[in-house]
Amino acid sequence: MAFRAWFRPPRHILTIFLGVAVVSAGTLGWLSWLLLQQDRALDLQRRQERLEQAADRATAVMRGALADLELRLASPSARTSKAPHGVVVLFSDPTGVIDGVRPTGGLLYYPTPEQMSDLPTAPFIVAEQAEFARQDLVAAAEQYTALASEGDAAGTAVRAGALAGLARVHRKARHPDAALAAYDELAALSDVRVGGLPAGLVARAGRARMFEEFARAPELRGEAAQLGRELRGGRWRLTKSQYQFYSAEALRWLGPPEPEIEVPDLHAEAVALADAVQWLWEERPWEAGPSPEPASRRLVQMSDIPVLAVWNASGERLQVGVAGPRYLATLAREAVPDGDLEWTLTDPAGRVVLGTPSLSPLAVRTAAASRLPWSLQVHAATGLDLSPTSPRQGLLSWVLVLLAAVWMTGAYFVVRAITRELAVERLQSDFVAGVSHEFRSPLSSLSQIAEMLVSDRFTSEDLRQQAYGVLARETDRLRRLVEGLLDFGRFSAGGADYHFEPLAIGPFLETLVAEFRTRAAATDHTIELMLPSETTYIRGDRDALTRAIWNLLDNAVKYSPDRPTVWVDVVREQDRVSLTVRDQGFGIPPDEQRAIFERFVRGAESKARRIKGTGVGLSMMQRIAEAHGGEIRLTSQPGQGSRFTMMLTLLSTSDALGTGEGLA
Ligand code: ADP
């Protein structure tokens, strides 16, 4: 039943509108959503394609670069030509002895000590006996000096050994200047080996030791700093233990603070390269194991620093190239030149070796697939929006938002209209209930009395007279009710016809109030009328004004049951007359003061107190006031009473008594 009621006009139009709106907005929204998703998918696909292409290009570039590197290793001119930037190339004879390095000093330390012929011990026997057995330093010095001068003939190795011995003896004899002179001579022999160490290093370390013994601190520091620089620059051909030993010595001699290495990363890389070479020489992948790889490449990690090792042992000789992060990064940058793309190299275990780990979609080329020593990932640069919306997507999103907004606004108005209509319906049914109630009580008393009269049940004439009185009152009440409703119909309708005429407000009100007093007597209310002293004319419709003022008085009496006085004040203003009906009843709360002027609306208090009414009086009065060119003003305080004021047009006496021109 309630469902069917929804489809009664005009609500069905709203319902249908709402339905159509929901369905169309839903469909549109759904379609846009689909389109948006499709667009995104397409976008992602395009992005992925670009990554894949970049990855393919990068793999090709890397493969080309590695092939080129291998070719250069194998080329006959490799020993003399420049090694590619960041690559250290080693050449070794078939026995594995390293006999060439490019660039010179490129390796910090070597896996094998330098091959050298044994130093003949015979020439030194006499000198060493004097130095160590007899402790005859003068004799020892003479012997060493002699050896050093004839050493030229015996070979630079003997000369170097003799100079080292001479310097040592002078040091022991505490002849620093003589010792220094010997060391200088020794230093000049540079790479000649003394006891397995380069003469230059022996001289440098010897000098430092001497300065230490003689507590010549500034010179010691200078010497130690120089030694450190030479070591880090790969100046000497040393084994790892020699390098580490002299590095530690240099540090100790320098004392705190520790020297700042110019480029620590580069030093770490140089260490990693030297370690990688050491590892290669231990592993010997070109000949060891069940499946030796005479020519191959591998990515190894040395203390977390990636090193690319390339070797070729297929010919007679072995060539090895090692390159660290510097080379790898340059290579990767060349391979992935696009600014908004990034790369990551990972080892076969999936660990990131170089580059920034990816958070975004990526294209991967595994080591196996690309035949590179690493896996390559290409991805969007970090910080780059991974799903930027295309202009179309942006537009679509806006359309969606707009659609939602339009739909919501529409729905709001529809719901509001329906709610209002429901409220009006409720008010109307309240009105019908109110009207029926108002009619029922006089009608039932009328029918009761009439029946009693017919059956002649009144025992005395007196009682019969009283019954006639009741009949007359109730009939009058009914008449007023009907008239009230008819007037409501008449005055509420838009084109009600009013008959305006000049009205002397004094006599008019006196008559009306006098008539009302008989009605008010039933509730013991008195009406106080205050009129202006001079005769005042207004322009008005007698019937309508009577209806309006009667209603105001009726309300004032009805809604002030415990306050027996109601006032009617008429005040002349410039060109207007204000008519106020005032009571001290229970008043009207502020939140109801607007609504009660609407049709069928009744105050909560009056309903709670079960005061009879239909809720049409004030709306009708407002229409009447408007027709008189004025309005009804209300001021009220709950619990203190209400005051309704009606503004009417003042007429000058001459206008009022004249021909009445211009008056309808
Ligand atoms: P009715 O009196 O039949 O209910 P009206 O349109 O005349 O209808 O008044 C509407 C409502 O305004 C009343 O139900 C009542 O709540 C309130 N009202 C009107 N006049 C007064 C008054 N003088 N004092 C208190 N409330 C009033």
Side-chain angles (χ1 to χ4, degrees):
M1 192 55 206
F3 178 74
R4 252 210 249 143
W6 265 94
F7 289 93
R8 271 207 314 267
R11 207 173 300 143
H12 70 285
I13 297 173
L14 292 181
T15 316
I16 289 170
F17 170 74
L18 200 68
V20 170
V22 167
V23 171
S24 58
T27 318
L28 249 157
W30 181 65
L31 281 178
S32 317
W33 178 252
L34 276 188
L35 218 68
L36 215 73
Q37 291 305 96
Q38 232 174 38
D39 230 43
R40 278 176 99 80
L42 211 73
D43 219 46
L44 279 181
Q45 198 182 335
R46 242 182 262 138
R47 204 168 293 276
Q48 191 60 35
E49 268 167 23
R50 186 171 159 225
L51 288 180
E52 298 292 342
Q53 279 169 6
D56 281 340
R57 248 193 340 261
T59 332
V61 170
M62 284 176 164
R63 268 219 298 264
L66 289 194
D68 186 49
L69 182 64
E70 281 162 350
L71 221 71
R72 285 172 79 155
L73 286 189
S75 99
S77 62
R79 270 174 182 272
T80 47
S81 62
K82 230 175 129 213
H85 185 66
V87 182
V88 175
V89 185
L90 303 161
F91 305 93
S92 114
D93 69 7
T95 61
V97 175
I98 295 170
D99 55 8
V101 180
R102 300 295 300 167
T104 323
L107 212 57
L108 282 191
Y109 42 83
Y110 292 72
T112 54
E114 179 151 17
Q115 277 311 82
M116 54 189 168
S117 46
D118 289 339
L119 189 68
T121 47
F124 291 95
I125 290 175
V126 182
E128 280 173 0
Q129 265 183 349
E131 182 188 350
F132 297 113
R134 299 202 310 277
Q135 308 266 331
D136 183 351
L137 297 180
V138 180
E142 276 171 12
Q143 288 294 329
Y144 282 130
T145 314
L147 263 179
S149 51
E150 74 190 40
D152 277 341
T156 44
V158 174
R159 184 169 142 74
L163 283 172
L166 182 63
R168 192 172 59 234
V169 170
H170 281 314
R171 243 171 63 204
K172 285 186 190 161
R174 307 197 69 76
H175 295 145
D177 295 337
L180 274 182
Y183 278 134
D184 284 348
E185 271 187 73
L186 179 62
L189 295 177
S190 185
D191 286 319
V192 176
R193 297 263 148 177
V194 183
L197 286 168
L201 175 63
V202 173
R204 178 89 54 216
R207 266 200 298 251
R209 242 172 243 131
M210 199 194 71
F211 290 138
E212 190 185 18
E213 282 165 15
F214 286 88
R216 287 159 67 166
E219 284 152 301
L220 175 61
R221 278 193 71 82
E223 207 62 43
Q226 184 60 27
L227 174 61
R229 272 197 294 277
E230 283 172 350
L231 284 169
R232 287 194 300 276
R235 169 73 185 81
W236 316 111
R237 183 168 170 161
L238 303 174
T239 60
K240 183 170 183 172
S241 56
Q242 288 167 340
Y243 175 84
Q244 284 175 333
F245 173 76
Y246 281 101
S247 294
E249 283 288 273
L251 265 185
R252 185 174 67 79
W253 285 325
L254 262 175
E258 281 195 18
E260 279 190 14
I261 301 173
E262 299 78 35
V263 192
D265 282 354
L266 276 187
H267 183 244
E269 178 169 331
V271 171
L273 290 189
D275 281 347
V277 171
Q278 187 114 7
W279 175 84
L280 275 172
W281 250 255
E282 278 160 22
E283 292 288 312
R284 309 186 78 73
W286 45 84
E287 57 182 36
S291 54
E293 303 166 274
S296 188
R297 37 178 112 144
R298 202 175 285 179
L299 189 71
V300 288
Q301 293 253 59
M302 292 291 146
S303 327
D304 278 344
I305 298 175
V307 178
L308 164 70
V310 183
W311 63 86
N312 188 346
S314 47
E316 274 210 343
R317 307 181 58 84
L318 165 69
Q319 298 95 3
V320 174
V322 281
R326 255 190 316 160
Y327 172 80
L328 293 174
T330 318
L331 176 60
R333 264 198 299 276
E334 272 167 24
V336 187
D338 307 13
D340 57 345
L341 294 184
E342 276 181 359
W343 47 267
T344 313
L345 306 187
T346 57
D347 67 5
R351 279 174 307 173
V352 171
V353 177
L354 210 63
T356 36
S358 150
L359 303 166
S360 53
L362 41 79
V364 183
R365 294 292 174 270
T366 58
S370 62
R371 278 174 289 127
L372 285 170
W374 50 73
S375 292
L376 169 73
Q377 302 180 350
V378 179
H379 50 92
T382 34
L384 203 78
D385 188 5
L386 305 178
S387 51
T389 41
S390 66
R392 206 162 82 132
Q393 282 177 7
L395 196 77
L396 262 171
S397 307
W398 275 113
V399 166
L400 263 180
V401 169
L402 205 77
L403 215 76
V406 167
W407 188 84
M408 265 153 66
T409 325
Y412 167 75
F413 282 114
V414 168
V415 168
R416 203 173 75 150
I418 290 178
T419 324
R420 280 197 177 174
E421 216 203 310
L422 282 175
V424 168
E425 193 157 285
R426 203 182 51 243
L427 287 175
Q428 268 172 344
S429 75
D430 281 358
F431 168 73
V432 172
V435 169
S436 335
H437 195 72
E438 293 243 351
F439 273 92
R440 195 169 298 136
S441 53
L443 274 177
S444 61
S445 17
L446 278 180
S447 73
Q448 245 176 16
I449 291 170
E451 197 183 314
M452 285 169 88
L453 280 173
V454 167
S455 52
D456 200 17
R457 271 194 267 159
F458 290 101
T459 47
S460 70
E461 185 58 27
D462 205 28
L463 280 176
R464 202 171 292 128
Q465 283 306 319
Q466 274 182 26
Y468 288 136
V470 174
L471 272 185
R473 258 205 324 279
E474 292 300 304
T475 319
D476 187 50
R477 197 169 140 196
L478 266 182
R479 183 181 57 79
R480 282 193 186 286
L481 260 172
V482 174
E483 272 176 7
L485 287 176
L486 287 176
D487 282 351
F488 167 66
R490 182 173 142 208
F491 296 122
S492 297
D497 53 341
Y498 289 88
H499 301 286
F500 291 104
E501 56 184 328
L503 277 179
I505 190 100
F508 168 68
L509 276 182
E510 270 162 356
T511 322
L512 198 154
V513 168
E515 201 178 326
F516 187 78
R517 278 190 180 121
T518 52
R519 134 98 177 86
T523 51
D524 290 335
H525 277 84
T526 52
I527 317 292
E528 301 279 338
L529 175 63
M530 278 270 290
L531 289 168
S533 46
E534 68 268 47
T535 319
T536 305
Y537 288 94
I538 53 148
R539 182 175 165 271
D541 176 307
R542 185 179 289 273
D543 282 355
L545 281 183
T546 308
R547 164 58 53 206
I549 297 163
W550 187 278
N551 260 345
L552 284 178
L553 288 169
D554 201 39
N555 278 353
V557 168
K558 262 201 308 191
Y559 301 120
S560 57
D562 313 320
R563 294 297 191 132
T565 315
V566 169
W567 292 265
V568 180
D569 302 327
V570 180
V571 178
R572 273 177 75 138
E573 292 170 12
Q574 278 165 340
D575 54 347
R576 311 230 278 178
V577 174
S578 75
L579 188 155
T580 305
V581 176
R582 173 161 65 88
D583 63 63
Q584 291 180 324
F586 50 73
I588 302 158
D591 60 329
E592 286 186 354
Q593 289 182 6
R594 269 173 75 96
I596 52 167
F597 286 96
E598 277 168 34
R599 276 193 296 175
F600 312 129
V601 177
R602 305 201 64 220
E605 177 104 24
S606 26
K607 281 195 271 187
R609 289 184 186 231
R610 298 188 171 280
I611 298 174
K612 284 181 194 163
T614 51
V616 298
L618 282 180
S619 88
M620 176 178 63
M621 274 181 262
Q622 199 171 34
R623 289 289 167 89
I624 294 173
E626 281 164 9
H628 281 77
E631 69 214 305
I632 288 199
R633 283 189 209 142
L634 162 64
T635 45
S636 178
Q637 285 261 320
Q640 306 209 346
S642 320
R643 145 204 291 270
F644 287 87
T645 305
M646 208 174 178
M647 303 306 292
L648 298 163
T649 317
L650 175 72
L651 281 184
S652 64
T653 316
S654 58
D655 272 350
L657 298 179
T659 52
E661 251 179 71
L663 299 176

